[in-house]
Short mmCIF file of all heavy atoms in Angstrom, two decimals:
data_model
loop_
_atom_site.label_atom_id
_atom_site.label_comp_id
_atom_site.label_asym_id
_atom_site.label_seq_id
_atom_site.Cartn_x
_atom_site.Cartn_y
_atom_site.Cartn_z
N MET A 1 -14.17 -11.16 17.60
CA MET A 1 -14.84 -10.08 18.25
C MET A 1 -16.31 -10.13 17.86
O MET A 1 -16.65 -10.40 16.72
CB MET A 1 -14.22 -8.74 17.83
CG MET A 1 -14.90 -7.57 18.49
SD MET A 1 -14.35 -5.96 17.95
CE MET A 1 -12.65 -6.00 18.37
N GLU A 2 -17.16 -9.89 18.82
CA GLU A 2 -18.60 -9.85 18.56
C GLU A 2 -19.08 -8.40 18.64
O GLU A 2 -18.82 -7.70 19.62
CB GLU A 2 -19.35 -10.70 19.57
CG GLU A 2 -19.05 -12.18 19.43
CD GLU A 2 -19.78 -13.00 20.46
OE1 GLU A 2 -20.90 -12.61 20.87
OE2 GLU A 2 -19.23 -14.03 20.87
N ILE A 3 -19.79 -7.98 17.61
CA ILE A 3 -20.32 -6.62 17.54
C ILE A 3 -21.80 -6.70 17.20
O ILE A 3 -22.20 -7.51 16.35
CB ILE A 3 -19.57 -5.80 16.47
CG1 ILE A 3 -18.11 -5.65 16.89
CG2 ILE A 3 -20.21 -4.45 16.25
CD1 ILE A 3 -17.25 -4.93 15.89
N ASP A 4 -22.60 -5.88 17.84
CA ASP A 4 -24.02 -5.81 17.55
C ASP A 4 -24.19 -5.31 16.12
O ASP A 4 -23.72 -4.23 15.76
CB ASP A 4 -24.72 -4.86 18.52
CG ASP A 4 -26.22 -4.87 18.35
OD1 ASP A 4 -26.69 -4.57 17.24
OD2 ASP A 4 -26.92 -5.16 19.33
N THR A 5 -24.86 -6.10 15.28
CA THR A 5 -24.98 -5.74 13.86
C THR A 5 -25.89 -4.55 13.62
O THR A 5 -25.80 -3.92 12.57
CB THR A 5 -25.49 -6.94 13.04
OG1 THR A 5 -26.74 -7.39 13.58
CG2 THR A 5 -24.48 -8.07 13.05
N GLU A 6 -26.73 -4.23 14.56
CA GLU A 6 -27.63 -3.09 14.38
C GLU A 6 -27.02 -1.79 14.90
O GLU A 6 -27.16 -0.74 14.28
CB GLU A 6 -28.97 -3.36 15.07
CG GLU A 6 -29.76 -4.46 14.38
CD GLU A 6 -31.11 -4.67 15.03
OE1 GLU A 6 -31.62 -3.76 15.70
OE2 GLU A 6 -31.65 -5.78 14.85
N THR A 7 -26.33 -1.85 16.04
CA THR A 7 -25.80 -0.62 16.65
C THR A 7 -24.30 -0.44 16.44
O THR A 7 -23.80 0.67 16.60
CB THR A 7 -26.07 -0.62 18.17
OG1 THR A 7 -25.30 -1.67 18.77
CG2 THR A 7 -27.53 -0.78 18.48
N GLY A 8 -23.59 -1.52 16.10
CA GLY A 8 -22.14 -1.45 15.97
C GLY A 8 -21.43 -1.48 17.31
O GLY A 8 -20.22 -1.34 17.40
N GLU A 9 -22.18 -1.70 18.38
CA GLU A 9 -21.63 -1.71 19.73
C GLU A 9 -20.82 -2.99 19.98
O GLU A 9 -21.20 -4.08 19.57
CB GLU A 9 -22.77 -1.63 20.75
CG GLU A 9 -22.31 -1.64 22.18
CD GLU A 9 -23.48 -1.63 23.16
OE1 GLU A 9 -24.64 -1.59 22.74
OE2 GLU A 9 -23.21 -1.67 24.36
N TYR A 10 -19.67 -2.83 20.66
CA TYR A 10 -18.82 -3.95 21.05
C TYR A 10 -19.57 -4.81 22.05
O TYR A 10 -20.11 -4.31 23.03
CB TYR A 10 -17.53 -3.41 21.65
CG TYR A 10 -16.68 -4.47 22.31
CD1 TYR A 10 -15.80 -5.23 21.57
CD2 TYR A 10 -16.76 -4.70 23.67
CE1 TYR A 10 -15.01 -6.19 22.16
CE2 TYR A 10 -15.98 -5.66 24.29
CZ TYR A 10 -15.10 -6.41 23.52
OH TYR A 10 -14.33 -7.36 24.12
N LEU A 11 -19.58 -6.13 21.83
CA LEU A 11 -20.25 -7.05 22.75
C LEU A 11 -19.26 -7.92 23.51
O LEU A 11 -19.33 -8.03 24.73
CB LEU A 11 -21.23 -7.94 21.99
CG LEU A 11 -22.39 -7.23 21.28
CD1 LEU A 11 -23.20 -8.23 20.47
CD2 LEU A 11 -23.25 -6.49 22.28
N ASP A 12 -18.34 -8.56 22.80
CA ASP A 12 -17.43 -9.50 23.45
C ASP A 12 -16.25 -9.79 22.52
O ASP A 12 -16.33 -9.58 21.32
CB ASP A 12 -18.17 -10.80 23.76
CG ASP A 12 -17.37 -11.75 24.63
OD1 ASP A 12 -16.47 -11.29 25.36
OD2 ASP A 12 -17.65 -12.96 24.60
N ASN A 13 -15.17 -10.27 23.11
CA ASN A 13 -14.01 -10.72 22.34
C ASN A 13 -13.59 -12.07 22.89
O ASN A 13 -12.75 -12.16 23.78
CB ASN A 13 -12.87 -9.70 22.45
CG ASN A 13 -11.75 -10.03 21.49
OD1 ASN A 13 -11.85 -10.96 20.70
ND2 ASN A 13 -10.68 -9.27 21.57
N PRO A 14 -14.19 -13.15 22.36
CA PRO A 14 -13.93 -14.47 22.91
C PRO A 14 -12.52 -14.99 22.63
O PRO A 14 -12.08 -15.93 23.26
CB PRO A 14 -14.99 -15.36 22.27
CG PRO A 14 -15.35 -14.65 21.01
CD PRO A 14 -15.17 -13.18 21.29
N GLY A 15 -11.80 -14.40 21.71
CA GLY A 15 -10.43 -14.82 21.43
C GLY A 15 -10.37 -16.15 20.70
O GLY A 15 -11.28 -16.53 19.99
N GLY A 16 -9.26 -16.84 20.88
CA GLY A 16 -9.10 -18.14 20.26
C GLY A 16 -7.96 -18.21 19.26
O GLY A 16 -7.47 -19.28 18.98
N GLN A 17 -7.51 -17.09 18.73
CA GLN A 17 -6.43 -17.11 17.76
C GLN A 17 -5.17 -16.40 18.25
O GLN A 17 -4.09 -16.66 17.77
CB GLN A 17 -6.87 -16.45 16.44
CG GLN A 17 -7.94 -17.22 15.72
CD GLN A 17 -7.41 -18.51 15.12
OE1 GLN A 17 -6.28 -18.58 14.68
NE2 GLN A 17 -8.23 -19.53 15.12
N GLY A 18 -5.32 -15.47 19.16
CA GLY A 18 -4.18 -14.68 19.61
C GLY A 18 -3.51 -15.25 20.83
O GLY A 18 -3.87 -16.31 21.35
N TYR A 19 -2.52 -14.52 21.31
CA TYR A 19 -1.77 -14.93 22.50
C TYR A 19 -2.65 -14.92 23.74
O TYR A 19 -2.54 -15.77 24.61
CB TYR A 19 -0.58 -13.97 22.68
CG TYR A 19 0.27 -14.26 23.88
CD1 TYR A 19 1.09 -15.39 23.92
CD2 TYR A 19 0.26 -13.40 24.97
CE1 TYR A 19 1.88 -15.65 25.03
CE2 TYR A 19 1.05 -13.66 26.07
CZ TYR A 19 1.85 -14.78 26.10
OH TYR A 19 2.63 -15.03 27.19
N GLU A 20 -3.54 -13.91 23.84
CA GLU A 20 -4.49 -13.81 24.93
C GLU A 20 -5.88 -13.61 24.35
O GLU A 20 -6.04 -13.33 23.17
CB GLU A 20 -4.12 -12.63 25.84
CG GLU A 20 -2.79 -12.81 26.54
CD GLU A 20 -2.42 -11.60 27.39
OE1 GLU A 20 -3.19 -10.62 27.39
OE2 GLU A 20 -1.38 -11.65 28.03
N THR A 21 -6.92 -13.69 25.20
CA THR A 21 -8.28 -13.59 24.69
C THR A 21 -8.62 -12.23 24.09
O THR A 21 -9.40 -12.15 23.17
CB THR A 21 -9.31 -13.91 25.79
OG1 THR A 21 -9.10 -13.02 26.88
CG2 THR A 21 -9.19 -15.34 26.26
N ALA A 22 -8.03 -11.15 24.57
CA ALA A 22 -8.35 -9.83 24.07
C ALA A 22 -7.37 -9.34 23.00
O ALA A 22 -7.40 -8.20 22.59
CB ALA A 22 -8.39 -8.82 25.21
N GLN A 23 -6.50 -10.21 22.54
CA GLN A 23 -5.47 -9.81 21.58
C GLN A 23 -6.03 -9.79 20.16
O GLN A 23 -6.76 -10.68 19.76
CB GLN A 23 -4.30 -10.76 21.66
CG GLN A 23 -3.12 -10.33 20.83
CD GLN A 23 -1.96 -11.27 21.00
OE1 GLN A 23 -2.12 -12.39 21.47
NE2 GLN A 23 -0.80 -10.84 20.64
N ASP A 24 -5.64 -8.78 19.40
CA ASP A 24 -6.14 -8.63 18.03
C ASP A 24 -5.19 -9.19 16.98
O ASP A 24 -5.59 -9.42 15.86
CB ASP A 24 -6.39 -7.15 17.72
CG ASP A 24 -7.55 -6.60 18.53
OD1 ASP A 24 -8.53 -7.32 18.68
OD2 ASP A 24 -7.43 -5.49 19.01
N TRP A 25 -3.93 -9.32 17.28
CA TRP A 25 -2.97 -9.80 16.28
C TRP A 25 -3.12 -11.30 16.14
O TRP A 25 -2.71 -12.08 16.98
CB TRP A 25 -1.55 -9.43 16.69
CG TRP A 25 -0.55 -9.83 15.65
CD1 TRP A 25 0.38 -10.81 15.75
CD2 TRP A 25 -0.39 -9.27 14.34
NE1 TRP A 25 1.11 -10.90 14.61
CE2 TRP A 25 0.66 -9.97 13.72
CE3 TRP A 25 -1.04 -8.26 13.63
CZ2 TRP A 25 1.08 -9.68 12.43
CZ3 TRP A 25 -0.61 -7.98 12.35
CH2 TRP A 25 0.44 -8.68 11.76
N THR A 26 -3.74 -11.73 15.09
CA THR A 26 -4.00 -13.14 14.88
C THR A 26 -3.45 -13.57 13.54
O THR A 26 -2.96 -12.77 12.75
CB THR A 26 -5.52 -13.42 14.87
OG1 THR A 26 -6.09 -12.73 13.76
CG2 THR A 26 -6.18 -12.97 16.15
N ARG A 27 -3.55 -14.84 13.27
CA ARG A 27 -3.12 -15.34 11.96
C ARG A 27 -3.90 -14.66 10.85
O ARG A 27 -3.37 -14.38 9.78
CB ARG A 27 -3.31 -16.85 11.89
CG ARG A 27 -2.28 -17.61 12.68
CD ARG A 27 -2.47 -19.09 12.47
NE ARG A 27 -3.74 -19.52 13.03
CZ ARG A 27 -3.85 -20.34 14.06
NH1 ARG A 27 -2.78 -20.83 14.61
NH2 ARG A 27 -5.02 -20.68 14.51
N SER A 28 -5.15 -14.35 11.10
CA SER A 28 -5.97 -13.69 10.07
C SER A 28 -5.42 -12.31 9.75
O SER A 28 -5.41 -11.90 8.59
CB SER A 28 -7.42 -13.57 10.53
OG SER A 28 -7.96 -14.85 10.72
N GLN A 29 -4.98 -11.59 10.75
CA GLN A 29 -4.45 -10.25 10.48
C GLN A 29 -3.12 -10.35 9.74
O GLN A 29 -2.84 -9.57 8.83
CB GLN A 29 -4.29 -9.46 11.77
CG GLN A 29 -4.06 -8.00 11.50
CD GLN A 29 -4.21 -7.16 12.74
OE1 GLN A 29 -4.36 -7.67 13.84
NE2 GLN A 29 -4.17 -5.87 12.56
N TYR A 30 -2.30 -11.30 10.11
CA TYR A 30 -1.06 -11.54 9.38
C TYR A 30 -1.38 -11.83 7.91
O TYR A 30 -0.73 -11.29 7.01
CB TYR A 30 -0.28 -12.70 10.00
CG TYR A 30 0.61 -13.42 9.02
CD1 TYR A 30 1.82 -12.86 8.64
CD2 TYR A 30 0.22 -14.63 8.46
CE1 TYR A 30 2.63 -13.50 7.72
CE2 TYR A 30 1.02 -15.28 7.55
CZ TYR A 30 2.22 -14.71 7.17
OH TYR A 30 3.02 -15.34 6.26
N CYS A 31 -2.37 -12.67 7.69
CA CYS A 31 -2.75 -13.00 6.31
C CYS A 31 -3.27 -11.77 5.57
O CYS A 31 -3.06 -11.65 4.37
CB CYS A 31 -3.80 -14.11 6.31
SG CYS A 31 -3.14 -15.71 6.78
N ALA A 32 -3.93 -10.88 6.27
CA ALA A 32 -4.41 -9.65 5.63
C ALA A 32 -3.24 -8.81 5.15
O ALA A 32 -3.22 -8.35 4.01
CB ALA A 32 -5.28 -8.84 6.60
N VAL A 33 -2.24 -8.61 6.01
CA VAL A 33 -1.08 -7.79 5.63
C VAL A 33 -0.34 -8.45 4.46
O VAL A 33 -0.10 -7.83 3.43
CB VAL A 33 -0.13 -7.58 6.82
CG1 VAL A 33 1.14 -6.87 6.37
CG2 VAL A 33 -0.81 -6.81 7.93
N TYR A 34 0.01 -9.70 4.64
CA TYR A 34 0.81 -10.40 3.62
C TYR A 34 0.01 -10.63 2.34
O TYR A 34 0.50 -10.37 1.24
CB TYR A 34 1.32 -11.73 4.17
CG TYR A 34 2.16 -12.48 3.16
CD1 TYR A 34 3.43 -12.01 2.82
CD2 TYR A 34 1.67 -13.62 2.54
CE1 TYR A 34 4.19 -12.69 1.89
CE2 TYR A 34 2.44 -14.30 1.61
CZ TYR A 34 3.70 -13.83 1.28
OH TYR A 34 4.46 -14.50 0.35
N GLY A 35 -1.22 -11.11 2.49
CA GLY A 35 -2.04 -11.41 1.31
C GLY A 35 -2.36 -10.19 0.47
O GLY A 35 -2.30 -10.23 -0.76
N MET A 36 -2.68 -9.08 1.14
CA MET A 36 -2.98 -7.86 0.39
C MET A 36 -1.74 -7.29 -0.27
O MET A 36 -1.78 -6.81 -1.40
CB MET A 36 -3.64 -6.82 1.29
CG MET A 36 -5.01 -7.22 1.78
SD MET A 36 -6.14 -7.40 0.39
CE MET A 36 -7.51 -8.17 1.21
N ALA A 37 -0.60 -7.35 0.42
CA ALA A 37 0.65 -6.87 -0.18
C ALA A 37 1.03 -7.73 -1.39
O ALA A 37 1.45 -7.21 -2.43
CB ALA A 37 1.78 -6.89 0.85
N LEU A 38 0.84 -9.03 -1.27
CA LEU A 38 1.13 -9.93 -2.38
C LEU A 38 0.17 -9.68 -3.54
O LEU A 38 0.58 -9.69 -4.71
CB LEU A 38 1.02 -11.38 -1.89
CG LEU A 38 1.61 -12.46 -2.76
CD1 LEU A 38 3.11 -12.23 -2.97
CD2 LEU A 38 1.38 -13.82 -2.12
N SER A 39 -1.10 -9.44 -3.22
CA SER A 39 -2.07 -9.13 -4.27
C SER A 39 -1.69 -7.85 -5.01
O SER A 39 -1.79 -7.78 -6.24
CB SER A 39 -3.47 -8.99 -3.68
OG SER A 39 -3.91 -10.21 -3.15
N TYR A 40 -1.23 -6.86 -4.26
CA TYR A 40 -0.79 -5.62 -4.89
C TYR A 40 0.41 -5.89 -5.81
O TYR A 40 0.46 -5.38 -6.93
CB TYR A 40 -0.41 -4.56 -3.86
CG TYR A 40 0.24 -3.36 -4.48
CD1 TYR A 40 -0.51 -2.44 -5.20
CD2 TYR A 40 1.61 -3.16 -4.41
CE1 TYR A 40 0.09 -1.35 -5.82
CE2 TYR A 40 2.21 -2.09 -5.00
CZ TYR A 40 1.44 -1.18 -5.72
OH TYR A 40 2.04 -0.11 -6.33
N ARG A 41 1.33 -6.69 -5.34
CA ARG A 41 2.53 -6.99 -6.14
C ARG A 41 2.16 -7.54 -7.52
O ARG A 41 2.79 -7.20 -8.52
CB ARG A 41 3.39 -8.00 -5.39
CG ARG A 41 4.61 -8.43 -6.15
CD ARG A 41 5.40 -9.44 -5.37
NE ARG A 41 6.55 -9.88 -6.15
CZ ARG A 41 7.28 -10.92 -5.86
NH1 ARG A 41 7.00 -11.64 -4.78
NH2 ARG A 41 8.29 -11.26 -6.61
N TYR A 42 1.16 -8.41 -7.57
CA TYR A 42 0.83 -9.05 -8.83
C TYR A 42 -0.21 -8.29 -9.66
O TYR A 42 -0.28 -8.48 -10.87
CB TYR A 42 0.35 -10.49 -8.58
CG TYR A 42 1.51 -11.37 -8.19
CD1 TYR A 42 1.69 -11.76 -6.87
CD2 TYR A 42 2.44 -11.79 -9.13
CE1 TYR A 42 2.77 -12.56 -6.51
CE2 TYR A 42 3.51 -12.59 -8.78
CZ TYR A 42 3.67 -12.97 -7.47
OH TYR A 42 4.74 -13.75 -7.11
N THR A 43 -1.01 -7.43 -9.03
CA THR A 43 -2.06 -6.73 -9.78
C THR A 43 -1.80 -5.23 -9.93
O THR A 43 -2.38 -4.60 -10.81
CB THR A 43 -3.43 -6.90 -9.11
OG1 THR A 43 -3.41 -6.22 -7.84
CG2 THR A 43 -3.79 -8.36 -8.92
N LEU A 44 -0.99 -4.68 -9.03
CA LEU A 44 -0.73 -3.24 -8.95
C LEU A 44 -2.00 -2.43 -8.68
O LEU A 44 -2.07 -1.24 -8.97
CB LEU A 44 -0.03 -2.73 -10.21
CG LEU A 44 1.36 -3.34 -10.47
CD1 LEU A 44 1.95 -2.75 -11.74
CD2 LEU A 44 2.29 -3.10 -9.29
N LYS A 45 -3.00 -3.07 -8.09
CA LYS A 45 -4.23 -2.38 -7.70
C LYS A 45 -4.01 -1.70 -6.36
O LYS A 45 -3.71 -2.35 -5.35
CB LYS A 45 -5.42 -3.33 -7.62
CG LYS A 45 -5.85 -3.85 -8.98
CD LYS A 45 -7.10 -4.68 -8.86
CE LYS A 45 -7.56 -5.12 -10.23
NZ LYS A 45 -8.81 -5.89 -10.15
N GLN A 46 -4.16 -0.39 -6.34
CA GLN A 46 -3.87 0.42 -5.16
C GLN A 46 -4.69 0.00 -3.94
O GLN A 46 -4.21 0.07 -2.80
CB GLN A 46 -4.11 1.90 -5.46
CG GLN A 46 -3.68 2.83 -4.36
CD GLN A 46 -2.19 2.81 -4.10
OE1 GLN A 46 -1.39 2.73 -5.02
NE2 GLN A 46 -1.81 2.89 -2.83
N GLU A 47 -5.92 -0.47 -4.14
CA GLU A 47 -6.76 -0.85 -2.99
C GLU A 47 -6.16 -1.98 -2.18
O GLU A 47 -6.33 -2.06 -0.97
CB GLU A 47 -8.20 -1.18 -3.41
CG GLU A 47 -8.33 -2.31 -4.40
CD GLU A 47 -8.46 -1.87 -5.84
OE1 GLU A 47 -7.94 -0.81 -6.21
OE2 GLU A 47 -9.10 -2.61 -6.60
N TYR A 48 -5.40 -2.88 -2.83
CA TYR A 48 -4.74 -3.96 -2.09
C TYR A 48 -3.61 -3.41 -1.22
O TYR A 48 -3.44 -3.81 -0.07
CB TYR A 48 -4.19 -5.02 -3.05
CG TYR A 48 -5.25 -5.82 -3.75
CD1 TYR A 48 -5.21 -6.02 -5.11
CD2 TYR A 48 -6.31 -6.39 -3.04
CE1 TYR A 48 -6.18 -6.76 -5.76
CE2 TYR A 48 -7.29 -7.13 -3.68
CZ TYR A 48 -7.22 -7.31 -5.04
OH TYR A 48 -8.18 -8.04 -5.67
N LEU A 49 -2.84 -2.51 -1.76
CA LEU A 49 -1.76 -1.90 -0.98
C LEU A 49 -2.33 -1.09 0.18
O LEU A 49 -1.81 -1.15 1.30
CB LEU A 49 -0.90 -1.01 -1.88
CG LEU A 49 0.29 -0.34 -1.20
CD1 LEU A 49 1.23 -1.38 -0.59
CD2 LEU A 49 1.03 0.54 -2.20
N ASP A 50 -3.40 -0.36 -0.07
CA ASP A 50 -4.04 0.43 0.99
C ASP A 50 -4.54 -0.47 2.13
O ASP A 50 -4.39 -0.14 3.30
CB ASP A 50 -5.18 1.26 0.43
CG ASP A 50 -4.71 2.35 -0.52
OD1 ASP A 50 -3.51 2.70 -0.50
OD2 ASP A 50 -5.55 2.84 -1.30
N ALA A 51 -5.14 -1.60 1.77
CA ALA A 51 -5.65 -2.54 2.79
C ALA A 51 -4.50 -3.13 3.61
O ALA A 51 -4.60 -3.28 4.83
CB ALA A 51 -6.46 -3.64 2.13
N ALA A 52 -3.40 -3.47 2.95
CA ALA A 52 -2.23 -4.00 3.66
C ALA A 52 -1.68 -2.96 4.63
O ALA A 52 -1.35 -3.27 5.77
CB ALA A 52 -1.14 -4.42 2.67
N LYS A 53 -1.61 -1.71 4.19
CA LYS A 53 -1.11 -0.64 5.05
C LYS A 53 -2.02 -0.41 6.26
O LYS A 53 -1.53 -0.24 7.38
CB LYS A 53 -1.00 0.66 4.26
CG LYS A 53 0.16 0.69 3.30
CD LYS A 53 0.17 2.03 2.57
CE LYS A 53 1.31 2.17 1.62
NZ LYS A 53 1.31 3.48 0.93
N ARG A 54 -3.33 -0.43 6.03
CA ARG A 54 -4.25 -0.23 7.16
C ARG A 54 -4.09 -1.33 8.20
O ARG A 54 -4.09 -1.06 9.40
CB ARG A 54 -5.70 -0.17 6.66
CG ARG A 54 -6.08 1.14 6.02
CD ARG A 54 -7.58 1.26 5.82
NE ARG A 54 -8.16 0.15 5.08
CZ ARG A 54 -8.27 0.10 3.75
NH1 ARG A 54 -7.83 1.09 3.00
NH2 ARG A 54 -8.84 -0.93 3.17
N SER A 55 -3.96 -2.57 7.76
CA SER A 55 -3.78 -3.68 8.70
C SER A 55 -2.47 -3.55 9.46
O SER A 55 -2.41 -3.77 10.67
CB SER A 55 -3.81 -5.01 7.95
OG SER A 55 -5.09 -5.24 7.41
N ALA A 56 -1.41 -3.18 8.76
CA ALA A 56 -0.10 -3.02 9.41
C ALA A 56 -0.12 -1.84 10.38
O ALA A 56 0.40 -1.96 11.50
CB ALA A 56 0.98 -2.81 8.35
N TYR A 57 -0.72 -0.73 9.99
CA TYR A 57 -0.81 0.43 10.88
C TYR A 57 -1.61 0.09 12.14
O TYR A 57 -1.26 0.53 13.24
CB TYR A 57 -1.46 1.62 10.18
CG TYR A 57 -0.63 2.23 9.08
CD1 TYR A 57 -1.24 2.85 8.01
CD2 TYR A 57 0.76 2.21 9.11
CE1 TYR A 57 -0.49 3.43 6.98
CE2 TYR A 57 1.51 2.78 8.09
CZ TYR A 57 0.89 3.38 7.04
OH TYR A 57 1.62 3.95 6.04
N TYR A 58 -2.67 -0.69 11.98
CA TYR A 58 -3.48 -1.09 13.13
C TYR A 58 -2.63 -1.87 14.13
O TYR A 58 -2.65 -1.62 15.33
CB TYR A 58 -4.67 -1.94 12.68
CG TYR A 58 -5.50 -2.44 13.82
CD1 TYR A 58 -6.48 -1.64 14.39
CD2 TYR A 58 -5.29 -3.70 14.36
CE1 TYR A 58 -7.23 -2.08 15.46
CE2 TYR A 58 -6.04 -4.15 15.43
CZ TYR A 58 -7.01 -3.33 15.97
OH TYR A 58 -7.74 -3.78 17.03
N PHE A 59 -1.85 -2.82 13.62
CA PHE A 59 -1.00 -3.61 14.52
C PHE A 59 0.02 -2.73 15.22
O PHE A 59 0.21 -2.81 16.42
CB PHE A 59 -0.28 -4.73 13.78
CG PHE A 59 0.75 -5.39 14.64
CD1 PHE A 59 0.37 -6.21 15.69
CD2 PHE A 59 2.09 -5.16 14.44
CE1 PHE A 59 1.32 -6.80 16.52
CE2 PHE A 59 3.05 -5.74 15.25
CZ PHE A 59 2.66 -6.56 16.29
N ILE A 60 0.69 -1.88 14.44
CA ILE A 60 1.73 -1.02 15.02
C ILE A 60 1.15 -0.12 16.10
O ILE A 60 1.72 0.03 17.18
CB ILE A 60 2.41 -0.20 13.91
CG1 ILE A 60 3.23 -1.14 13.02
CG2 ILE A 60 3.30 0.88 14.50
CD1 ILE A 60 3.67 -0.53 11.71
N ALA A 61 0.00 0.48 15.83
CA ALA A 61 -0.63 1.38 16.79
C ALA A 61 -1.03 0.64 18.07
O ALA A 61 -0.88 1.16 19.18
CB ALA A 61 -1.85 2.05 16.18
N ASN A 62 -1.51 -0.58 17.93
CA ASN A 62 -1.97 -1.33 19.09
C ASN A 62 -0.86 -2.08 19.81
O ASN A 62 -0.99 -2.39 20.98
CB ASN A 62 -3.10 -2.27 18.69
CG ASN A 62 -4.37 -1.53 18.45
OD1 ASN A 62 -5.07 -1.19 19.40
ND2 ASN A 62 -4.65 -1.21 17.21
N ALA A 63 0.23 -2.35 19.13
CA ALA A 63 1.35 -3.04 19.79
C ALA A 63 1.92 -2.16 20.90
O ALA A 63 2.23 -2.65 21.98
CB ALA A 63 2.43 -3.38 18.77
N ALA A 64 2.03 -0.87 20.65
CA ALA A 64 2.56 0.05 21.67
C ALA A 64 1.61 0.15 22.85
O ALA A 64 2.04 0.16 24.00
CB ALA A 64 2.81 1.41 21.06
N VAL A 65 0.33 0.22 22.58
CA VAL A 65 -0.68 0.35 23.64
C VAL A 65 -0.72 -0.90 24.51
O VAL A 65 -0.90 -0.84 25.72
CB VAL A 65 -2.06 0.62 23.03
CG1 VAL A 65 -3.15 0.58 24.08
CG2 VAL A 65 -2.07 1.95 22.31
N ASN A 66 -0.55 -2.06 23.89
CA ASN A 66 -0.66 -3.34 24.60
C ASN A 66 0.67 -3.87 25.11
O ASN A 66 0.75 -4.98 25.59
CB ASN A 66 -1.32 -4.38 23.69
CG ASN A 66 -2.75 -4.03 23.41
OD1 ASN A 66 -3.51 -3.74 24.32
ND2 ASN A 66 -3.12 -3.99 22.14
N ASP A 67 1.74 -3.07 24.98
CA ASP A 67 3.07 -3.42 25.51
C ASP A 67 3.60 -4.74 24.96
O ASP A 67 4.08 -5.59 25.69
CB ASP A 67 3.01 -3.47 27.04
CG ASP A 67 4.40 -3.42 27.66
OD1 ASP A 67 5.30 -2.83 27.04
OD2 ASP A 67 4.57 -3.97 28.77
N TYR A 68 3.54 -4.91 23.65
CA TYR A 68 4.07 -6.13 23.01
C TYR A 68 5.57 -6.04 22.88
O TYR A 68 6.14 -5.17 22.41
CB TYR A 68 3.45 -6.38 21.64
CG TYR A 68 1.98 -6.71 21.70
CD1 TYR A 68 1.12 -6.28 20.71
CD2 TYR A 68 1.46 -7.45 22.73
CE1 TYR A 68 -0.23 -6.58 20.76
CE2 TYR A 68 0.11 -7.77 22.77
CZ TYR A 68 -0.72 -7.32 21.79
OH TYR A 68 -2.05 -7.63 21.82
#
C-alpha cells in the first residue's frame, strides 16, 4: 500500500502478495500474527501479544467485509 508520508492519505495498493491486488491478507500479515504470538510465548512481553491480536482482529474484521 502506498500512503502519502506527509498527509497520511491513501495513494495506491499495487498488491503483489495477496490473492488480488487490493487484498490485505499477505504472508507478511501472517508472519505478524504468528511471529508476535511466538515472541510473546518466549518473552511474556504484553506488547507482542497485543500486536498479534491487533493483526488477527484486522484480518477477521476485513474477511467479513471482503467476503472471504
Side-chain angles (χ1 to χ4, degrees):
M1 180 185 300
E2 293 178 32
I3 296 177
D4 186 302
T5 57
E6 292 183 22
T7 66
E9 180 183 359
Y10 170 84
L11 298 175
D12 189 23
N13 189 4
Q17 293 289 325
Y19 179 71
E20 295 178 358
T21 57
Q23 187 177 18
D24 292 319
W25 183 249
T26 64
R27 286 185 294 245
S28 298
Q29 193 167 8
Y30 153 77
C31 289
V33 174
Y34 180 71
M36 293 297 169
L38 195 60
S39 295
Y40 171 74
R41 177 181 178 193
Y42 288 104
T43 67
L44 298 180
K45 291 186 177 182
Q46 187 64 39
E47 59 263 29
Y48 291 132
L49 182 58
D50 293 341
K53 286 180 179 181
R54 283 192 306 271
S55 294
Y57 291 151
Y58 177 84
F59 170 72
I60 291 166
N62 286 280
V65 172
N66 293 310
D67 197 29
Y68 293 145

